Structures are given as C-alpha cells and as structure tokens.
Amino acid sequence: MYSQGLIGADGSTDESQEVLAAFQQRIDAEEKIEPNDFMPQGYRRTLIRQIGQHAHSEIVGMLPEGNWITRAPTLKRKAALLAKVQDEGGHGLYLYSAAETLGVSREEMTEELLAGKAKYSSIFNYPTLTWADIGTIGWLVDGAAIMNQIPLCRCSFGPYARAMIRVCKEESFHQRQGYEIVMTLAQGTPEQKAMAQESLDRWWWPVLMMFGPHDADSQHGDQSMAWKIKRFSNDELRQKFVDATVPQAEYLGLTLPDPDLKWNPEKNGGQGGHDFGAIDWDEFWAVVKGRGAMNRQRVEARRKAWEEGAWVREAALVHAQKRAERNRLMTQAAE
Ligand code: FAQ
C-alpha cells in the first residue's frame, strides 16, 4: 500500500557546491531559514516530507483515542480526553500550515495520505483495546513524541521550530494526564493494575519503533542532521527515551516487557544508560508498508472525514470570495 510519497520523496539536491556551502554557513551560524529565503531544493523537499508526515500523524493520531471519548469512565476523564484529542487536531493544523509555507497545498498532502503514498507514524496503526491504553498512549506515545519534538523546537526552519514550541507544551500536559491515568490503575485493584500492565506489554515495543529505523538504516538522518532539521539521531532519541522511562515504570510498580533491559554504567560515554533488547524491525516495516492491524481503517476514516467535509471547504471558500469582493467594492466606493 505504501510507496515513496510524490511530494518530497527525494531529498537530493542539485545546486552547486558554492551555493550549498553558503547555505550551510547560515545553518552552522544557527540562523533560522524563513519561507521566503533561498533554500536548496533538497532542504525544501525534506521539510515538506517530514512536516507533512508529522501533520498526518497528528490527525490520524486523533483516531485511536477518539475511539474512547464516549467510553471514558468519568466526566472528568471524558473532558480531559476530549481536550487532548482536539489539541492533536490543532497540532495537525499548525503543521499543515508550516508545510504550506514551503509551496505545497494541504489538498496535495491529503491526497497523498489518502492514496497511501505519504506515511504517518507507525504507532497509530495499533488498536486501543482497553481504557488503560488511553493512559499508556499519553504516558508513552506522547512521552516519545516530546522526546523527539523538543529538539525540533531548534529546527533550522523557522515556522516548524515555532510550531513545535506550543505543540511541546501541550504534549507535556498530555503526557502527564496519561501517566496519571496509568498511576490510578496501577494503584487500584489487582484487576486494574493487571490492565495497566497488559497495556504496557502491548505498547512498549511499538513505542520504541516510533523513533524510526536504527541510524545505520536511516535514509535521511545524516543529511537532516547536517541541515539541523534533526538535532539528534533516531537511536540517540530512543536511548534517551528508554533511560527516562525506566524510573517512571519503576515508580508505577510496572514491568517493562524486556528481559534484556539492564543498567550499563559504560553507556553514554561513561554516564551510564540502559541496554535493551532487539526491536522487531520486520514488524515495523510491515506496519509502515500498510500491513498493521489498523492501517486500512485509519486511512478509510480520514477519507470519510475528507469527503464529508468537502461542503465545509467549498462554503468557506465561497464565503471568503464574497467577503473579498465586498471589501473590493467598498474600497472602490471610498476612492
Ligand atoms: N512510522 O530516514 P528515516 C505524535 C520512515 S507525532 C512511519 O530515519 P527521518 C503526537 C521515514 O518517514 C508522531 N514511518 O526518516 C501524538 C522514512 O520514510 P520516507 C510523529 C517511519 O524522517 C501523540 C523511512 O522510514 N512524529 O505522536 C517511522 O529522518 C498522541 C526512513 O526513516 C513525527 O513525525 C515511523 N515511526 O526520521 C499525536 C516527528 N520512522 O519518508 C496523537 C517528526 C521512520 O523516506 C496522539 N519526524 N519512518 O518514505 C521525525 O522526527 C522524523 O521524520 C522521524 C524519522 C524520526 C520520524
């Protein structure tokens, strides 16, 4: 189902070495690149690809949790979940807008998503089977998103970096509400604690996959780091996430489902860090290529929303045109 997206699939660039070197100087001087500035085609395409996929992830990411809004156990939980899911929709909108500054339209990006050409995060192709999954998603999925996105606040492309500042603040609230749900379950009845553990067992490995393939298999990693789009590699962020999460799980009295997880004092240049087991990359690539449990339903839900929202887009456009025409006539009359 998935193939390379049409837009931004190719990060290669054909400017002269001189032009690329001058651009790199701006990057190395930590200057922000703004939409009207010169940028190499490869830089533009890489950003369109990454920001577009990120936007799709936020919008598709509303679906697994949206599934539980009507079944949240209390009014307070329902209100918090509703707000969180709305926040994710807002993140998608900032990101689509940031991508649009690079010369791609939201329609083009959406068509790629619906055609199965543009990717979105693998994590959203897993089902939310129990209420505990809503806690686990907040704690771990938003936790992983924050680990990945805090460095993006320093991305060299201005609109993406600025969008990330607000997104990270909101993700931080999401992470805490998730952790609090899991803590309530972990401190509840034995059945509730078992539900939290079972959910953790299902989500742990897919969450580690969110950071992307190992650095050795990361196609875009080196160039994106050189252009300071990414500030840390996939493996560096995954390691930071594991090290941050182990004490959180211990505090909850839950067990991370990895028999190979252990403290290694030699890691991280002698500062210490956790060794952890092997990730199932066959599962990762199967999910990315469209063979996850929920891929078909996720894209279908987005197609339905896009088609059923067509009249709203048309009405908004006609309204904007009428207002512009009215303003034009008023300005003409005043002259
Ligand atoms: N899933 O060469 P790399 C969230 C693809 S937001 C699917 O290493 P790159 C908030 C990758 O696109 C979650 N595909 O790629 C939330 C590339 O394929 P392509 C989303 C993946 O770009 C919470 C190929 O593999 N966050 O969760 C994945 O340098 C709760 C080779 O990989 C972002 O998008 C994956 N996990 O590094 C919402 C953050 N990983 O494009 C709702 C911004 C890799 O050549 C509820 N993105 N691939 O066809 C990034 O930081 C980067 O794009 C990475 C991948 C790190 C994801």
Side-chain angles (χ1 to χ4, degrees):
M1 177 182 157
Y2 281 80
S3 64
Q4 289 277 306
L6 291 179
I7 314 170
D10 179 9
S12 64
T13 205
D14 50 17
E15 289 80 6
S16 70
Q17 281 310 313
E18 213 178 6
V19 166
L20 289 175
F23 180 74
Q24 191 64 43
Q25 252 180 10
R26 289 197 63 193
I27 298 282
D28 293 343
E30 297 290 335
E31 282 178 40
K32 286 277 178 264
I33 308 301
E34 297 298 337
N36 291 334
D37 293 352
F38 164 79
M39 60 185 87
Q41 278 309 312
Y43 179 82
R44 183 184 300 277
R45 282 195 292 254
T46 298
L47 281 167
I48 290 175
R49 179 187 61 79
Q50 178 168 324
I51 303 173
Q53 292 181 0
H54 194 168
H56 297 325
S57 302
E58 300 282 356
I59 300 288
V60 175
M62 297 168 77
L63 298 167
E65 289 170 282
N67 178 36
W68 275 89
I69 290 172
T70 55
R71 291 176 288 162
T74 66
L75 183 60
K76 190 185 108 192
R77 294 291 189 205
K78 193 193 287 276
L81 183 57
L82 194 57
K84 178 190 191 293
V85 172
Q86 281 180 335
D87 285 352
E88 309 297 1
H91 298 173
L93 295 183
Y94 314 146
L95 287 163
Y96 283 126
S97 300
E100 281 183 316
T101 68
L102 291 157
V104 63
S105 73
R106 181 151 168 210
E107 282 72 17
E108 287 172 283
M109 288 184 275
T110 304
E111 275 160 21
E112 281 208 345
L113 172 71
L114 300 184
K117 286 176 182 157
K119 293 188 172 73
Y120 57 86
S121 182
S122 49
I123 196 70
F124 302 118
N125 291 310
Y126 291 83
T128 38
L129 303 178
T130 69
W131 168 251
D133 289 354
I134 302 306
T136 308
I137 288 178
W139 171 31
L140 297 180
V141 175
D142 286 274
I146 295 170
M147 194 58 87
N148 168 274
Q149 287 170 189
I150 292 280
L152 291 176
C153 297
R154 293 189 295 120
C155 168
S156 56
F157 184 56
Y160 193 23
R162 289 189 289 273
M164 280 302 112
I165 293 169
R166 174 155 174 190
V167 168
C168 285
K169 285 185 179 156
E170 291 178 352
E171 300 290 27
S172 165
F173 152 74
H174 299 166
Q175 198 269 354
R176 282 158 199 226
Q177 69 87 39
Y179 193 71
E180 203 261 332
I181 291 174
V182 180
M183 190 152 51
T184 305
L185 292 172
Q187 293 172 353
T189 64
E191 289 80 5
Q192 286 173 318
K193 184 167 183 186
M195 192 193 273
Q197 182 63 55
E198 188 274 336
S199 175
L200 176 57
D201 292 346
R202 271 183 295 112
W203 288 91
W204 176 246
W205 291 104
V207 165
L208 294 191
M209 295 173 196
M210 281 177 73
F211 293 94
H214 279 317
D215 294 351
D217 302 316
S218 166
Q219 268 167 269
H220 310 288
D222 290 346
Q223 182 61 73
S224 289
M225 298 265 287
W227 277 331
K228 300 190 191 236
I229 294 172
K230 286 163 79 162
R231 295 282 177 158
F232 293 97
S233 74
N234 299 355
D235 284 331
E236 283 170 336
L237 289 174
R238 192 171 8 248
Q239 182 67 49
K240 280 172 183 280
F241 175 77
V242 171
D243 291 336
T245 308
V246 168
Q248 295 170 0
E250 275 168 10
Y251 185 79
L252 293 168
L254 298 177
T255 307
L256 295 173
D258 179 358
D260 296 325
L261 187 71
K262 63 171 188 306
W263 180 252
N264 176 351
E266 311 289 312
K267 234 176 173 158
N268 294 332
Q271 285 180 5
H274 293 85
D275 286 331
F276 52 95
I279 292 172
D280 182 349
W281 294 112
D282 290 342
E283 174 179 324
F284 171 75
W285 289 114
V287 173
V288 170
K289 288 180 179 156
R291 297 194 299 276
M294 300 301 287
N295 294 61
R296 199 179 51 77
Q297 287 94 323
R298 298 297 186 233
V299 174
E300 212 33 59
R302 290 313 310 157
R303 180 191 315 287
K304 190 165 175 281
W306 185 247
E307 285 170 1
E308 289 178 358
W311 70 270
V312 181
R313 292 191 298 279
E314 278 164 32
L317 196 63
V318 173
H319 181 65
Q321 283 164 350
K322 271 191 189 164
R323 280 183 63 159
E325 180 61 8
R326 201 181 309 137
N327 284 345
R328 194 183 64 79
L329 291 174
M330 279 166 66
T331 317
Q332 219 173 37
E335 278 169 3

